[in-house]
Amino acid sequence: MMNTKTLDITPNLEPLFGTRDENLKLMERELQVRIDLRADAVYVTGPEDALNRVETIFNDFEQLRLRGVHPHNGELHALLKLVVCDPTVTLRSLIDSGKQRSTGGVKRIVQPRSVNQRCYVEAIEQNDMTFGIGPAGTGKTYLAVAMAAAALLAKKVSRIILVRPAVEAGERLGFLPGSLQEKIDPYLRPLYDALYDLLEPERVDKMIEKGIIEMAPLAFMRGRTLNDAFIIMDEAQNTTTEQMKMFLTRLGNNSKAVITGDVTQIDLPNPRRSGLIEAISILSGTDGIKFIHFEEGDVVRHHLVQRIIRAYDHFGRAEQMPLGIGETSTGTQGKPQTGKPQ
């Protein structure tokens, strides 16, 4: 049964509509309603439960505005995607949970922007070991670093350890010029970038100097036991089976580990021996370990990144298509052509 509900237009409500009313169109498309903007009010037509959800979104936005919370348009659109996908989620609950994760000096609210990102953040909170697997730009590393910073500032752990395989140097850093820190910095730059985006640079530098934040290549993890720490291994697709097992068994008391990687970007000489791929097969279903798989729709970088990933996926599938009966890789039937009449 279709009903119509009238919602008052309050001052400063326009940001909720989004650029070219994109947020209203999102609600219309996902909640199966029609939203008509008038001079005096907003008229919403649709099923009763959908009308109630739209009204809750409008009321939540007004309450957040009165509290001084003004999410920018890109962030608001991402939050609304989560709200319309799950009837148990509200705009206010998302904002409040993000603030709880971002207390103690974090510059930005740790806020997931897709359903999979939300599952990822919740998995990190609820499990001692979480794998984030998926394409570039899906927030795997950034959210992991954000959760690590929040845990450190909330005194849930006493240190952060950031690890990355230096596969481009064959894990042999001795021949590279400079100090150890100068040798490993290029490999850990994405982790630095995330930290500096979340915390004041001076604070990050002091924590690194005191060893509260430690950055190290994977090769230096052997033999250690990591207690009271939040450990992140980035680019895990470039670990071998032995390296992955070694890293996973470093976990000590009151520690949490997040492993991130993209199985489509393996730089190992033998991609089939990626420790990440084998870990997915070996550890899936293990109690206390959670795997979150990201998709193209989770990309939060420039919109072109989604299109690039989609194009490469299509190209990869076309390359893997089986040849037709009697067809060679040259696309001809029977014997390959040699330029002479057969």
Side-chain angles (χ1 to χ4, degrees), residues 90-106:
T90 66
L91 197 56
R92 271 197 290 179
S93 70
L94 288 175
I95 293 288
D96 291 342
S97 63
K99 282 190 170 183
Q100 289 173 5
R101 299 185 187 108
S102 306
T103 56
V106 177

Side-chain angles (χ1 to χ4, degrees), residues 10 53 68 111 157 159 165 180 196 279:
T10 58
R53 291 178 67 186
Q111 192 61 265
V157 296
R159 57 183 174 156
L180 174 62
Y196 286 133

Side-chain angles (χ1 to χ4, degrees), residues 278-312:
E278 293 197 344
I280 296 171
S281 301
I282 295 169
L283 299 176
S284 291
T286 302
D287 190 35
I289 301 178
K290 187 73 172 180
F291 288 83
I292 303 297
H293 294 269
F294 293 91
E295 301 169 349
E296 165 201 313
D298 299 305
V299 172
V300 292
R301 291 180 183 165
H302 193 285
H303 62 271
L304 276 178
V305 175
Q306 282 192 15
R307 299 177 191 172
I308 291 168
I309 292 170
R310 189 183 309 131
Y312 270 91

